[in-house]
Amino acid sequence: MEVNINNLTGVTGSIVVKMNNQTLTIGNYTYQELSVQGISPANGAAGTHIRITGAGFSSTTGPAEVFVNGKPALVVSASDNILVAEVPESAGTGPVTVKVNGKEANGQIFKFQVISGIKPATGGKGTHVKITGGGFDDVKAGNLVDFNGKPALVTEATAEYLVVTAPDGVQTGPVSVTINNQKATGPIFTVVPMPKIDAVTPLSGPAGTVMTITGENFSTFTDENKVTINGKPAVALTASAFKITLTIPGATGNGKVVLDVNDQVVQGPDFKDQTLGIATLSPDNGLAGTQVTITGTGFNTNAALNTVTFNGENAQVISATATSLTVAAPPTLTSGPVKVANAGQIATSPVNFNRAGIMTLAGGPNSSDLNIKERGASIAVDSHGNVFLVDFTSQCIRKITPQGVVSIFAGSTSKQSGNQNGTGTSALFSFGFTNGIVVDKQDNLYVSDGYNNTIRKITPAAVVSTYAVNLNQPGKLAIDDNGILYVQTSYSLTRVDKSGVRSAMSGFYGGADYGSPVIIGSYLYYSDTESLYINRYDLDNKTNIRGWAGNGNFGNSDGPKNQSSLVIPLGLITDGQGNIYFSDGFAATTRKINLTLNELSTISSQPSTGYKDGGLNEAQFRNRSDMAIDKDGNIYIVDQYNNAIRKMFLK
């Protein structure tokens, strides 16, 4: 059989069938020239399905091919006069082309929508964001922009970029642009808190001086941090999330330092446009007589011609250069700003000098008030500043008033240990070697009674009762804001509710429980003294992060918390301001972890081992172990081998 369609000449004609020397005409064939008449939609992003109408799409030799701006597109469906094709990735704007039997026809231009980037990618309500890409409508009203579904105002429009304002109630999520009902989705816009300025240094100085702004929620891109001094721009040199440096431009006059981070504006302190300025104080804390080095500009090289005050009290200037003064903190020292006056100008320190140091609250090497030298002690402090001490050796609870007066609060030093409830000295305890003590918001004490396998409760009136039983030698304690107790032993953690009902906490990795743990939010932080780590346990999800702080090496280095070395971390406490403090065991230092910066630092060390009160880095200890902190931020430290409780005040 032979079929002839008008002799295959590509024109309209009859369809003829020849079979067995007979010819039969069975119909007519209408030839359609290949053409593209329309596309819908005429714009869209990669993956958009476009409907192509036209003629001549059928072929006897192979399927029709579709190209968008010269790039092959997947044909989803085909007929003589309709093709459906999927726009390929990175197609770009250009004509839609159909190829059939070696012929091709071009249709109208397809406008390819794409968001290639947004800047800034962080901010909040009111942040002006530039969206770059292609296929945008150059009429503002033709572009519908949303931030995670919330409509945003378009303030500028071209085919290649849009400028929009982040809307009220903006939340973290993708930025999208819709044109003619076709949506293109771009990168995530992350909502961040308002920036915060903690300190600006110096607060005065000449042109060319480097200014440092410290705080939180800065952009890591220098151009996204705009600083003005009395309205005059100052270009950022470096930027991190917590610090910006810039050069003082000069001729600013006196006025506010203002920081604009992606249209989130915060106002800082006043700046003085003058030659005299203070950059740093070293140290920035101490007691009367502490020698302090003041660095800056514009000092008089004649020491006597510089007037220095600490919170209004005159200080002795020991030596002077144009950029450095050495002074002695005055006898009547109180916390406050340091000021330098020279040639009619006055400069103020960027941070206050804090009267800070260490004193002995109770006990001492030759004191009989305490008996902790042999076995140490655990401590807690109530809302009135009274320190309570578990005296393992004497099997009693001692109370130390804010004035340092020591008394027996519960238990008896003249009786044998036991398990007897009662009031004051009528009660008996039998403490183990790693006991804990905590205080709740009502000033009730909870004490681990190790050898009795119980938790004992002691009211402010010294009434002792049994709170929980059968705890298998309970050790260190922590308490959350709801009054729930957590009992740590060497390799386990037990939750004890307000009814005394206990439940085991799975997923906890122990390590010796020499150091008291602390709870912040839903996390328990505790010492892993066997591996020289501080670990974090999630109380809600019952998961453990081992090595949350510390690098596992024996040492006393500062820096990022995971890269710093520890020497037996003990006595964890928190100041409620995002900081954890702990004693670093036999290194006899007090260290701090800033939870915002994830930085570990040493706030108090000592020149040598001994017994001496003084500044944070002048006082001497024999060792530092358990700690407690009062509502004013004063820290109390067990100095076991000096038989003393030391008080550290930071401000």
Side-chain angles (χ1 to χ4, degrees), residues 161-246:
Y161 72 85
L162 304 173
V163 178
V164 300
T165 304
D168 289 353
V170 62
Q171 295 180 340
T172 296
V175 174
S176 301
V177 178
T178 302
I179 303 169
N180 298 327
N181 296 318
Q182 300 301 308
K183 176 180 278 192
T185 300
I188 299 292
F189 179 82
T190 302
V191 176
V192 295
M194 287 285 290
K196 175 187 174 186
I197 294 177
D198 291 333
V200 176
T201 176
L203 293 174
S204 61
T209 302
V210 174
M211 173 183 283
T212 300
I213 302 174
T214 56
E216 299 175 23
N217 306 320
F218 303 156
S219 173
T220 56
F221 298 96
T222 55
D223 63 328
E224 294 180 5
N225 303 283
K226 298 178 176 62
V227 180
T228 59
I229 302 173
N230 194 33
K232 185 170 182 177
V235 178
L237 301 174
T238 64
S240 72
F242 308 102
K243 183 169 75 173
I244 299 167
T245 63
L246 55 96

Side-chain angles (χ1 to χ4, degrees), residues 24 251 285 357 475 567:
L24 179 66
N285 63 80
V567 184

Side-chain angles (χ1 to χ4, degrees), residues 32-257:
Q32 292 181 315
E33 186 72 36
L34 178 64
S35 64
V36 176
Q37 298 168 1
I39 62 172
S40 178
N43 66 282
T48 300
H49 284 192
I50 53 175
R51 179 185 174 93
I52 307 165
T53 57
F57 296 157
S58 295
S59 170
T60 59
T61 61
E65 297 176 281
V66 176
F67 300 84
V68 179
N69 192 33
K71 293 182 173 62
L74 174 67
V75 177
V76 178
S77 65
S79 67
D80 288 346
N81 53 15
I82 296 176
L83 298 172
V84 177
E86 184 175 293
V87 177
E89 293 288 338
S90 306
T93 295
V96 174
T97 302
V98 178
K99 291 184 178 182
V100 180
N101 294 334
K103 297 181 180 181
E104 67 178 55
N106 289 325
Q108 71 191 82
I109 299 296
F110 178 82
K111 186 180 283 187
F112 183 75
Q113 291 171 231
V114 62
I115 299 175
S116 57
I118 60 173
K119 187 174 174 58
T122 60
K125 164 190 169 184
T127 296
H128 293 88
V129 178
K130 185 174 184 178
I131 305 171
T132 54
F136 304 140
D137 196 317
D138 55 12
V139 177
K140 290 186 288 187
N143 306 278
L144 302 178
V145 180
D146 69 82
F147 284 62
N148 200 27
K150 284 195 171 293
L153 175 67
V154 180
T155 59
E156 189 177 344
T158 71
E160 291 78 29
Y161 72 85
L162 304 173
V163 178
V164 300
T165 304
D168 289 353
V170 62
Q171 295 180 340
T172 296
V175 174
S176 301
V177 178
T178 302
I179 303 169
N180 298 327
N181 296 318
Q182 300 301 308
K183 176 180 278 192
T185 300
I188 299 292
F189 179 82
T190 302
V191 176
V192 295
M194 287 285 290
K196 175 187 174 186
I197 294 177
D198 291 333
V200 176
T201 176
L203 293 174
S204 61
T209 302
V210 174
M211 173 183 283
T212 300
I213 302 174
T214 56
E216 299 175 23
N217 306 320
F218 303 156
S219 173
T220 56
F221 298 96
T222 55
D223 63 328
E224 294 180 5
N225 303 283
K226 298 178 176 62
V227 180
T228 59
I229 302 173
N230 194 33
K232 185 170 182 177
V235 178
L237 301 174
T238 64
S240 72
F242 308 102
K243 183 169 75 173
I244 299 167
T245 63
L246 55 96
T247 301
I248 296 171
T252 60
N254 301 335
K256 293 287 184 186
V257 175

Side-chain angles (χ1 to χ4, degrees), residues 3-11 13-16 28-30 60:
V3 179
N4 184 288
I5 304 175
N6 199 32
N7 297 316
L8 297 176
T9 57
V11 297
S14 59
I15 302 174
V16 178
N28 291 317
Y29 166 75
T30 301
T60 59

Side-chain angles (χ1 to χ4, degrees), residues 204-207 254 271-277 297 340 344-348:
S204 61
N254 301 335
F271 176 82
K272 283 186 178 181
D273 183 18
Q274 61 183 25
T275 58
L276 184 64
T297 58
V340 176
Q345 295 182 349
I346 298 176
T348 302

Side-chain angles (χ1 to χ4, degrees), residues 257-594:
V257 175
V258 176
L259 173 62
D260 179 333
V261 182
N262 296 332
D263 302 303
Q264 310 297 294
V265 181
V266 61
Q267 186 169 274
D270 286 317
F271 176 82
K272 283 186 178 181
D273 183 18
Q274 61 183 25
T275 58
L276 184 64
I278 299 175
T280 62
L281 305 175
S282 180
D284 61 5
N285 63 80
L287 301 177
T290 299
Q291 285 199 6
V292 180
T293 299
I294 305 172
T295 60
T297 58
F299 303 145
N300 199 303
T301 56
N302 184 338
L305 296 181
N306 300 282
T307 301
V308 179
T309 59
F310 284 65
N311 203 27
E313 296 295 320
N314 286 326
Q316 177 192 0
V317 181
I318 300 170
S319 63
T321 71
T323 58
S324 177
L325 300 175
T326 301
V327 301
T332 52
L333 175 68
T334 56
S335 297
V338 173
K339 294 184 178 182
V340 176
N342 177 37
Q345 295 182 349
I346 298 176
T348 302
S349 59
V351 295
N352 284 348
F353 185 89
N354 288 322
R355 181 180 179 274
I358 294 162
M359 57 167 282
T360 299
L361 178 67
N366 300 315
S367 172
S368 59
D369 290 340
L370 302 181
N371 187 20
I372 64 175
K373 191 170 183 178
E374 180 181 347
R375 294 179 59 189
S378 294
I379 58 173
V381 59
D382 70 8
S383 63
H384 302 289
N386 298 300
V387 175
F388 295 89
L389 178 152
V390 179
D391 185 335
F392 304 145
T393 302
S394 301
Q395 298 293 316
C396 68
I397 305 295
R398 297 184 189 268
K399 175 181 177 180
I400 308 171
T401 69
Q403 294 75 36
V405 177
V406 181
S407 61
I408 303 296
F409 184 66
S412 174
T413 59
S414 60
K415 298 178 182 179
Q416 292 183 346
S417 60
N419 185 14
Q420 178 177 306
N421 293 326
T423 300
T425 56
S426 67
L428 296 178
F429 301 92
S430 186
F431 297 129
F433 282 89
T434 56
N435 288 67
I437 180 172
V438 291
V439 60
D440 67 16
K441 292 181 178 180
Q442 290 73 45
D443 286 338
N444 297 300
L445 297 175
Y446 300 86
V447 183
S448 297
D449 195 346
Y451 289 147
N452 288 316
N453 296 321
T454 63
I455 301 295
R456 312 285 288 277
K457 178 180 178 179
I458 311 172
T459 70
V463 177
V464 179
S465 60
T466 300
Y467 187 71
V469 297
N470 300 324
L471 282 162
N472 191 21
Q473 294 190 351
K476 297 298 184 182
L477 301 177
I479 191 167
D480 68 15
D481 289 339
N482 298 314
I484 304 299
L485 278 177
Y486 292 88
V487 185
Q488 181 186 347
T489 63
S490 292
Y491 297 100
S492 67
L493 184 69
T494 301
R495 180 183 187 271
V496 181
D497 69 16
K498 288 187 172 183
S499 301
V501 176
R502 57 194 175 88
S503 55
M505 304 294 286
S506 61
F508 178 81
Y509 178 87
D513 64 329
Y514 297 132
S516 296
V518 66
I519 294 174
I520 303 176
S522 62
Y523 297 111
L524 180 138
Y525 301 84
Y526 66 98
S527 301
D528 180 356
T529 54
E530 290 183 348
S531 302
L532 303 178
Y533 289 135
I534 292 174
N535 297 343
R536 188 179 80 176
Y537 179 78
D538 188 326
L539 296 169
D540 292 336
N541 298 317
K542 298 182 175 62
T543 55
N544 196 84
I545 296 179
R546 191 180 183 199
W548 174 82
N551 61 12
N553 295 321
F554 189 88
N556 200 246
S557 64
D558 291 340
K561 65 177 177 62
N562 296 111
Q563 300 174 24
S564 303
S565 54
L566 308 176
V567 184
I568 309 182
L570 303 170
L572 276 65
I573 56 174
T574 179
D575 60 4
Q577 305 298 316
N579 299 300
I580 292 175
Y581 298 85
F582 63 94
S583 294
D584 208 346
F586 297 109
T589 60
T590 301
R591 306 183 73 185
K592 168 183 168 182
I593 300 175
N594 184 310

